[in-house]
Amino acid sequence: LATCMVDGHEDFAAIACLTWYAGLRIHECFRIDTATAEQALRENAITIKGKGGKVRAVPINESISIELKKLLAVTPRGQKLFVPDGVPTDVAISRLQQYICEVRRKIQDEDSTHPMTHHGLRHSYAARTYQELIDSGMSPLSASLRVFQLLGHERPDVTKGYLASISKDGADGK
């Protein structure tokens, strides 16, 4: 986030915040418009249309609320938060992906064996959320199913891949 801010990319920092704290896919972030952001602030959850048209509501925290308020202050009503007028959405997404490639070496953990990507933040969200649910007393199976719902997956087995960094006992829902 700090690197994004220093480089003048507050929008990219906000996208990283949405993915780290709400597990949104890259295209879901770029779909958010002012009406969606306003509704999220009212309801403390962002309702987002994801892959395959599947709609889900994901709770938001104070960090996301702060970012959405900042973006709403500078985005004209009816506009998407991360897609400037006259710029196709795929071009806006490509700009973020290119930026990540440019700064990857500066921001990636030194001991990481995989290149840092936007989607990796989604995996981190899944693993962290799962562990928080377990720590709060939820059963591994229930926690796995909750993460499955929050991520908006079609099949629960897809979520297993997101929880691969967690010990096998917990991620398998045993």
Side-chain angles (χ1 to χ4, degrees):
L1 296 177
T3 298
C4 291
M5 300 298 273
V6 167
D7 290 347
H9 286 292
E10 291 185 30
D11 53 342
F12 294 167
I15 291 167
C17 181
L18 282 160
T19 304
W20 179 258
Y21 290 116
L24 299 188
R25 293 176 179 95
I26 196 167
H27 73 275
E28 292 170 341
C29 292
F30 281 87
R31 181 175 276 164
I32 300 169
D33 60 14
T34 55
T36 302
E38 289 167 352
Q39 180 182 0
L41 291 171
R42 282 191 310 274
E43 298 176 357
N44 286 320
I46 189 159
T47 301
I48 200 79
K49 183 190 264 187
K51 219 172 179 178
K54 190 172 185 176
V55 177
R56 70 185 191 282
V58 181
I60 61 170
N61 63 13
E62 186 62 24
S63 294
I64 292 174
S65 293
I66 290 167
E67 292 300 324
L68 291 178
K69 287 174 187 173
K70 287 194 296 190
L71 289 161
L72 283 169
V74 298
T75 307
R77 270 188 100 63
Q79 299 295 313
K80 291 182 179 178
L81 300 184
F82 304 112
V83 182
D85 273 346
V87 175
T89 301
D90 63 321
V91 171
I93 290 171
S94 181
R95 288 177 182 166
L96 170 62
Q97 291 171 321
Q98 171 125 17
Y99 176 75
I100 291 170
C101 287
E102 291 169 6
V103 300
R104 182 177 285 139
R105 286 191 187 110
K106 285 196 304 191
I107 60 178
Q108 183 168 305
D109 291 338
E110 287 182 25
D111 61 343
S112 179
T113 58
H114 301 289
M116 201 240 11
T117 63
H118 176 271
H119 200 73
L121 296 174
R122 188 166 148 83
H123 280 257
S124 296
Y125 165 80
R128 194 178 62 258
T129 301
Y130 174 85
Q131 193 59 57
E132 288 170 1
L133 292 169
I134 293 295
D135 292 346
S136 73
M138 193 176 275
S139 75
L141 179 58
S142 294
S144 180
L145 289 173
R146 179 65 178 139
V147 170
F148 156 77
Q149 292 169 336
L150 290 169
L151 291 174
H153 285 153
E154 282 294 313
R155 300 180 330 271
D157 62 304
V158 174
T159 306
K160 277 188 178 184
Y162 284 70
L163 302 178
S165 63
I166 299 173
S167 73
K168 294 294 180 206
D169 289 345
D172 288 338
K174 295 180 182 169

